[in-house]
Amino acid sequence: MKQRVLVIDDEENLRHMLWAMLRKNGYHADEAENGERALAMAREHPYDFIICDIRMPVLDGLGFLRKAQEAGIGGTIIMMSAYGTIDTALQCMKEGAYDYVSKPFRNDEVLLVLKKAEERERLKTENRRLRAEIGREYSFGAIVSRNGRMREIFELIRKVCDVKTSVLVLGESGTGKELVAKAIHHNGSRRDGPFVAVNCGAIPENLLESELFGHVRGAFTDAAADRAGLFEEAHGGTLFLDEIGDMPPSLQVKLLRVLQEGEVRRVGAERTTKVDVRVISATSRDLEREVAEGRFREDLFFRLNVFGITLPPLRERLEDVPLLAAHFLEKHGTALGRPGVRVSPEALRLLAGYGWPGNVRELENCIERSLILCDADVLGPEALPDALRGSSIGGAVVYPEEDHLSIKKAEERLEREFIRRALDKTNGNRTHAARLLEISHRALLYKLKEYGME
Ligand SMILES: Nc1ncnc2c1ncn2[C@@H]1O[C@H](COP(=O)(O)OP(=O)(O)OP(=O)(O)O)[C@@H](O)[C@H]1O
Ligand SMILES: [Mg+2]
């Protein structure tokens, strides 16, 4: 559909010249000789863009801008300032005009401002759409995703959250394992109980036991008083055993006993205490391999893994990248006092084309860092870390969701992508594109045909 532009100027020649130029460039254009007339026209049928002179009889540019806003007339307003009206033009921008062009101007200046404004509108709409998606169907608790496998995981969480079954969450670092554990807790019948998390890999072996199970006074040198462990603290709620793969073998036995019997014995105590705790554990290690290689007890593995959830790495769900980027922009933009910042389409392409070895956490850090480093309202490619610019070929092309291990398919995708880029760069000139690709013209034609890219 053609974009609708209204030109407002009392000077008939200029108005008509603009009108004709816009029509020639694919816009639907109308003209009005003053602000009053323009208001009536815009009420009748809204415009995408309004290009408005400042000095006019009846109702001038600033007056028009104010009345248009009062009347809730949409559309991006661009002012035309002549010598002596720059101050007013700036005032108009303060009051909501998008930009101004100075008279006399060249046609391409006006077209450029329009293009920029169109791009901004497009981004705004896209952003609204993404935000709505995040809010509506593409999230479960704080977990955002539109990926099919992730959405199956949402279903699994729904099914398991109300029962006491042990859950084991697997996935590479940064894929959202802790988020899943919290979603299970907060959506289930234990949500009013405590959620207690412990990182089994971060606590020294000799402390972990008393941390988990507690101790009595005098059990060891530093035990000056009785103390409850995390199991007792989590009574009535959920205990999240993070990095369970790092748990030392001596404790694996003790943990197994607690899980089997539902009671804990504080270090140095005679008696045991009954606890009602739902255990969710997680690890980024390949736990089955740890079992096979004798580092993790098989019986404990089966106990913990009654219900297993495996999170796919981000490179296997790159369709989530735009959604997650919008989510983190909102989250950190708000925290940093910069709401409404967006990513340019070019930057988004880079984000969606990267392999994300650090998964969602890396993406989140990247967005936060870019927000801090760049203070524009639209983050372009230059705001992103070098790593992304260097390896953009790797991601989207080499790691799409389906059959990502096929070298043949990856090669094909790579070729398509490079051909597309070469043609973009040469405005579709195949001879020049073939030269960039360092293949013969005939080879290029053959590939275009083979890939149905003609
Ligand atoms: N699907 C998602 N939607 C929104 N935020 C996410 C998602 N996945 C992960 N995150 C965010 O990314 C960060 C890392 O997630 P989390 O800590 O759950 O990962 P993890 O798998 O436990 O990583 P690790 O193995 O390194 O501990 C967190 O800030 C989390 O909020
Ligand atoms: Mg974690």
Side-chain angles (χ1 to χ4, degrees), residues 141-285:
I143 317 171
V144 173
S145 181
R146 62 191 300 166
N147 168 265
R149 277 156 74 198
M150 287 297 290
R151 296 167 64 70
E152 284 168 25
I153 289 174
F154 293 173
E155 269 321 297
L156 292 179
I157 295 176
R158 260 185 215 110
K159 293 213 168 95
V160 83
C161 65
D162 276 330
V163 292
K164 203 180 156 183
T165 317
S166 296
V167 178
L168 176 64
V169 191
L170 298 174
E172 288 178 15
S173 180
T175 45
K177 297 186 291 296
E178 181 154 357
L179 224 46
V180 167
K182 287 182 176 155
I184 294 174
H185 174 77
H186 290 298
N187 287 284
S189 46
R190 298 182 161 253
R191 70 173 77 87
D192 294 326
F195 177 88
V196 177
V198 53
N199 186 332
C200 304
I203 301 174
E205 180 168 355
N206 58 337
L207 294 185
L208 188 57
E209 181 176 3
S210 90
E211 196 62 31
L212 285 173
F213 310 126
H215 60 249
V216 295
R217 195 166 82 108
F220 44 87
T221 329
D222 292 334
D226 285 10
R227 219 191 108 204
L230 298 174
F231 259 97
E232 287 178 69
E233 247 177 58
H235 184 70
T238 305
L239 180 62
F240 177 50
L241 299 172
D242 204 1
E243 309 300 347
I244 189 78
D246 296 350
M247 180 166 277
S250 65
L251 275 177
Q252 292 178 23
V253 195
K254 292 181 177 153
L255 176 61
L256 179 63
R257 201 170 311 129
V258 172
L259 295 178
Q260 278 167 344
E261 277 145 34
E263 45 189 41
V264 290
R265 185 195 302 275
R266 294 185 182 182
V267 176
E270 301 278 316
R271 293 184 309 109
T272 55
T273 319
K274 278 243 168 279
V275 284
D276 168 31
V277 171
R278 129 57 82 70
V279 172
I280 303 177
S281 38
T283 181
S284 48
R285 294 199 190 195

Side-chain angles (χ1 to χ4, degrees), residues 77-137:
I77 301 181
I78 297 158
M79 312 304 298
M80 290 184 279
S81 80
Y83 179 75
T85 60
I86 291 285
D87 284 349
T88 320
L90 294 176
Q91 181 62 30
C92 289
M93 284 180 66
K94 260 193 215 139
E95 297 194 20
Y98 168 66
D99 204 348
Y100 73 89
V101 287
S102 306
K103 286 182 181 175
F105 45 75
R106 295 200 319 266
N107 287 346
D108 53 357
E109 283 177 65
V110 178
L111 290 174
L112 193 69
V113 172
L114 281 173
K115 280 275 165 275
K116 258 175 45 197
E118 271 172 58
E119 179 63 18
R120 186 187 70 145
E121 282 310 306
R122 215 183 54 67
L123 279 172
K124 260 178 144 167
T125 318
E126 172 72 5
N127 206 249
R128 256 198 306 274
R129 193 180 61 75
L130 283 171
R131 251 206 303 263
E133 284 186 356
I134 292 168
R136 236 181 308 116
E137 56 212 276

